[in-house]
Amino acid sequence: MKKIIVAIDGYSSSGKSTMAKQLAAEVGYAYVDSGAMYRAVTLYAMRRGLVNPDGSLLTDELCAALPDIRIEFRVVPGDAASHTFLNGEDVEREIRTLEVSSHVSPVAAVPQVRHALTAMMQEYGKTKGIVMDGRDIGTTVFPDAEMKVFVDASAEVRAQRRYKELLAKGDEVSFEDVLRNVQERDEIDRTRKESPLRQAEDALVLDNDNLTREQQAAWLLETFHRIADA
Ligand code: CDP
C-alpha cells in the first residue's frame, strides 16, 4: 500500500476535523489540523494586543512577529488526540473559543501569515502518510494530494454542531452568535484574495447534511483504500 496525502477541505464546522482525525487513526497516518495553526497565530495576536477592539489588525506588527511564533502538536497524557502548543504552552482549549473564532478569519487572510503556515504544513507532508484538514489544503498546500475531499453542509447544520460542542465544553454562547460567526467566517474565507476557500476541481464532494458520523467514516475509509491500494 503506497503512502498518500489526504486533503480534507470545507466550510467551518462541517465535521472535517472529526472525520480527518478518525481516518488518520484508522489507517495509521499523522493528522494535522491546519485550522488550529491559524487559531494559534490568532491567539498570539490577541494576547499581544495586535487585534484592535473593532477587529482590525496591526498587520505589520503581526507579520514582524511571525518568526517568533512556534506552533507544535504534542501528545499529552490522558488525551488520545494531540494538543496544539503555542511557544511551548498548551493552548488547545483556548484556541477553540468563540472569541478566537471571531478573529481568526481576518488573521488567516493576511498573505504573510498564510505563506508562513503553508511552508510549515508542506514540511509536515514531506514524508506523506498524512491527513490534513483546512480550507486550501487540496488547492494550495498540497495541490498534488492523491485524495482530496471537499465537505459541505448547510450553515444551520454546521452552527448547530458547533453550538453543541461549545455548550458541552461549558462555554456560554448563544446559537445566534455561533451561526453569525459561521456565516461571517464562510464569507471572509471564500472571498479573501490569498488562497480562498474553494473546491479543488479534482476533489470528491461529501455533502454531510444527512449523513451520520458512521456513514461518513465508512465512505472516507472506502475511498482511502480505493486510492491508496490501487
Ligand atoms: O473548526 P472550524 O471548522 O470552525 O475552523 P478551523 O478549521 O479551526 O479553521 C479556523 C479558521 O482558520 C477558518 O475559518 C479560516 O479562516 C482559517 N483557515 C484557513 O484559512 N486555511 C486553512 N487551511 C485552515 C483554516
Side-chain angles (χ1 to χ4, degrees):
M1 191 167 78
K2 62 177 186 270
K3 273 194 176 180
I4 65 167
I5 291 183
V6 181
I8 304 187
D9 288 305
Y11 290 101
S12 150
S13 320
S14 55
K16 302 178 303 292
S17 315
T18 310
M19 55 176 104
K21 241 179 256 172
Q22 190 175 345
L23 176 67
E26 280 167 344
V27 303
Y29 274 23
Y31 163 64
V32 176
D33 177 351
S34 71
M37 298 166 71
Y38 286 99
R39 287 172 178 274
V41 173
T42 305
L43 181 63
Y44 178 97
M46 288 163 63
R47 286 177 170 178
R48 292 290 168 114
L50 305 180
V51 180
N52 292 316
D54 68 357
S56 62
L57 299 171
L58 301 179
T59 309
D60 290 346
E61 287 80 350
L62 176 59
C63 293
L66 284 173
D68 302 329
I69 304 179
R70 199 164 32 87
I71 301 166
E72 299 152 283
F73 295 104
R74 288 193 211 159
V75 178
V76 297
D79 197 344
S82 60
H83 285 200
T84 311
F85 280 69
L86 170 61
N87 292 340
E89 178 193 347
D90 185 346
V91 293
E92 186 59 33
R93 171 95 181 79
E94 216 175 329
I95 59 168
R96 309 289 170 187
T97 58
L98 190 54
E99 205 192 346
V100 170
S101 298
S102 68
H103 295 301
V104 64
S105 287
V107 170
V110 176
Q112 291 89 333
V113 171
R114 301 207 71 79
H115 298 162
L117 295 189
T118 298
M120 278 178 65
M121 292 170 204
Q122 288 171 336
E123 200 56 43
Y124 288 135
K126 272 204 169 135
T127 50
K128 301 223 175 181
I130 194 169
V131 182
M132 194 177 289
D133 76 325
R135 302 293 185 284
D136 62 339
I137 309 305
T139 52
T140 302
V141 182
F142 297 121
D144 297 329
E146 291 84 353
M147 174 169 164
K148 297 183 187 178
V149 177
F150 189 82
V151 191
D152 206 355
S154 69
E156 283 70 22
V157 166
R158 291 184 283 119
Q160 195 61 46
R161 192 177 288 148
R162 184 51 48 93
Y163 176 59
K164 279 192 197 148
E165 270 172 25
L166 290 168
L167 286 191
K169 285 186 193 168
D171 288 2
E172 285 180 17
V173 292
S174 72
F175 174 72
E176 288 68 32
D177 284 347
V178 175
L179 178 61
R180 193 174 323 113
N181 175 256
V182 161
Q183 289 169 329
E184 278 171 6
R185 280 199 288 141
D186 284 356
E187 182 61 19
I188 300 174
D189 293 348
R190 205 171 27 215
T191 57
R192 69 180 171 226
K193 279 214 176 72
E194 186 85 18
S195 258
L197 165 65
R198 64 178 174 79
Q199 186 191 321
E201 273 172 23
D202 50 352
L204 303 162
V205 179
L206 175 60
D207 183 340
N208 77 358
D209 254 356
N210 302 306
L211 292 184
T212 63
R213 270 190 188 190
E214 291 71 29
Q215 287 169 323
Q216 280 172 30
W219 180 85
L220 214 58
L221 192 61
E222 201 185 299
T223 308
F224 172 85
H225 282 299
R226 188 164 42 76
I227 296 170
D229 300 347

